[in-house]
Amino acid sequence: TFGMRFHPVYHYDKMHNGVDLAGRSGWDVVATRGGVVREVGYDPVSAGNYVIIDHLDGFESYYLHMYKWPEVAVGQYVAQGQKLGGQGTTGGSTGVHLHFGISQNGSYQNPSNYIPI
């Protein structure tokens, strides 16, 4: 869930800026809304392989722990439902899932307030 929690990898209380959606390795990760890819990267400590999409209205969405390098590039426009990559367990992860996050004007929001989870 979104909020403070005991981190299962690092074993201390840490803010969880999104929700974790269970799945299977390689299951498609798709854009929740259209926008421009702001960042694609790899963070070995936390996010693993990830994508950040700027929806051009103050909102951004975050897709973390993908199993291999994402299938989109910085600056690329993506449509709602377009494949970004596949679910995985890269970075600070205990199993296959998608960490999904939303920010509004730079402040993380609870994704459960925007999508039915």
Side-chain angles (χ1 to χ4, degrees), residues 37-90:
V37 177
R38 180 173 70 78
E39 192 171 335
V40 173
Y42 176 72
D43 172 6
V45 174
S46 183
N49 294 313
Y50 68 90
V51 172
I52 302 172
I53 298 175
D54 182 345
H55 299 290
L56 307 174
D57 61 357
F59 284 92
E60 291 185 328
S61 55
Y62 300 75
Y63 309 81
L64 283 56
H65 306 302
M66 288 193 241
Y67 80 106
K68 64 179 184 177
W69 191 255
E71 299 177 17
V72 294
V74 171
Q76 177 181 345
Y77 178 83
V78 294
Q80 182 176 0
Q82 182 173 337
K83 184 178 179 182
L84 307 173
Q87 283 193 24
T89 185
T90 58

Side-chain angles (χ1 to χ4, degrees), residues 1-115:
T1 59
F2 179 86
M4 289 299 293
R5 69 168 184 175
F6 184 76
H7 196 284
V9 174
Y10 304 117
H11 305 289
Y12 60 86
D13 289 334
K14 186 175 185 312
M15 179 64 181
H16 189 237
N17 293 320
V19 293
D20 291 338
L21 306 171
R24 294 184 185 258
S25 185
W27 273 9
D28 288 354
V29 172
V30 300
T32 55
R33 294 177 55 212
V36 176
V37 177
R38 180 173 70 78
E39 192 171 335
V40 173
Y42 176 72
D43 172 6
V45 174
S46 183
N49 294 313
Y50 68 90
V51 172
I52 302 172
I53 298 175
D54 182 345
H55 299 290
L56 307 174
D57 61 357
F59 284 92
E60 291 185 328
S61 55
Y62 300 75
Y63 309 81
L64 283 56
H65 306 302
M66 288 193 241
Y67 80 106
K68 64 179 184 177
W69 191 255
E71 299 177 17
V72 294
V74 171
Q76 177 181 345
Y77 178 83
V78 294
Q80 182 176 0
Q82 182 173 337
K83 184 178 179 182
L84 307 173
Q87 283 193 24
T89 185
T90 58
S93 170
T94 59
V96 175
H97 71 285
L98 171 69
H99 171 98
F100 176 69
I102 294 176
S103 70
Q104 181 181 23
N105 299 320
S107 177
Y108 285 103
Q109 304 294 312
N110 185 343
S112 299
N113 296 333
Y114 297 92
I115 60 172

